[in-house]
Amino acid sequence: MKRKRNFVISGVLVVFAGFLVDYAWGTEENSLSVALMVLATVLFLTGAIIFVLNFKE
């Protein structure tokens, strides 16, 4: 059950990061765009790490 939950959490983080990147490309303010890109990168990497660590258990 924990493994399935980790897959769901990982997927949600990656999808949310994708929405943030899509929104950041559409914003006109540079500082907001950069902040959203950094946040999206952190979320994507966190999701990827959870996904990879899920196989090591």
Side-chain angles (χ1 to χ4, degrees):
M1 186 67 180
K2 183 179 180 185
R3 192 172 187 150
K4 184 177 179 182
R5 186 181 68 212
N6 283 344
F7 276 126
V8 170
I9 291 171
S10 173
V12 168
L13 286 175
V14 169
V15 168
F16 188 63
F19 281 124
L20 278 178
V21 168
D22 187 45
Y23 181 74
W25 278 113
T27 46
E28 298 294 327
E29 300 176 31
N30 285 340
S31 59
L32 178 63
S33 180
V34 170
L36 287 175
M37 287 292 192
V38 169
L39 179 62
T41 303
V42 169
L43 288 176
F44 178 78
L45 290 176
T46 303
I49 289 170
I50 290 172
F51 185 79
V52 168
L53 289 179
N54 200 23
F55 288 110
K56 294 196 178 220
E57 291 181 352

